[in-house]
Amino acid sequence: MNYFNSRPETSIPISGSNDLFLVHRIFCVGRNYKKHIDEMGYEENDIPFVFFMKPPEAIVTDGQKIAIPDFTNNFQHEAELVIAIGKEGKKIPEENALEHIFGYSVGIDLTCRDIQNEAKKKGRPWTLAKSIPYSAPVSDITPADESGHLNEGNIRLSVNGEIRQNSNLKHMIRSVPKIISNLSQFYTLFPGDIIFTGTPEGVGKLESGDIVFAEIDRLQPLTITIA
Ligand code: MN
């Protein structure tokens, strides 16, 4: 028996090697920095575990150009730490979570904010705001063997040389092990899964021609151009 179709393969370069990391699924955590929750105007006393997904075709590698979708008037950047999963697991206890990490990248969760705001008001899904092609640029993956695990370190994003986001991973509400443990209550995590871990404050609108640079201490940086 043969398959009727093949499927497109999306991959991310691994820093310091010629190998590629084949992307399986993309999970994205929301509301993970207090000051970002404040700037978005969320009024909740508890901090819910909010997450959504993007399709593998959302991946864009370092140095590429990305067009603003023609259905948004407010295309925004969200700089985030990205986890690359290297080992299968379900219901992973926090204390074992780090064993499941292959490495880390810097990513930008590109978001159609106008569509997201409308969706929130009307109780509709965020799919068109978040889960669109080319909405998940990521830097080359640094293996955790080289970077160590990241529970603190500067995270920054600049547009045309002007710093817009400037925070520290230590301000994450849910730590890397907590996120892996939480997600794996619902999903078996597989090698190839990647997880965006939420953005700090300072998100903002991108315009055609912008050059966007994102960096996290000890990781490969990311540059994209907005076409
Ligand atoms: Mn985000």
Side-chain angles (χ1 to χ4, degrees), residues 53-75:
M53 296 176 79
K54 291 179 187 260
E57 68 180 312
I59 293 293
V60 177
T61 52
D62 183 42
Q64 308 276 319
K65 261 191 184 162
I66 298 175
I68 298 176
D70 59 10
F71 48 82
T72 182
N73 290 310
N74 193 355
F75 195 49

Side-chain angles (χ1 to χ4, degrees), residues 37 43 45 58 61 65 126 141 146 165 179 184 192 207 215:
I37 292 173
E43 289 170 3
N45 294 324
T61 52
K65 261 191 184 162
W126 290 5
I141 295 171
E146 288 168 32
Q165 295 191 266
I179 288 169
S184 71
E207 305 284 356
E215 61 183 338

Side-chain angles (χ1 to χ4, degrees), residues 91-122:
K91 296 191 189 293
I92 301 165
E94 257 179 79
E95 57 271 27
N96 298 343
L98 296 179
E99 294 167 17
H100 293 263
I101 297 174
F102 168 70
Y104 298 94
S105 286
V106 183
I108 305 175
D109 168 15
L110 291 169
T111 302
C112 303
R113 192 72 69 202
D114 46 353
I115 294 176
Q116 188 194 27
N117 289 341
E118 189 73 5
K120 280 182 198 164
K121 259 188 243 159
K122 297 187 171 163

Side-chain angles (χ1 to χ4, degrees), residues 120-141:
K120 280 182 198 164
K121 259 188 243 159
K122 297 187 171 163
R124 291 179 184 158
W126 290 5
T127 314
L128 270 182
K130 290 283 196 182
S131 309
I132 54 178
Y134 317 118
S135 63
V138 288
S139 69
D140 293 1
I141 295 171

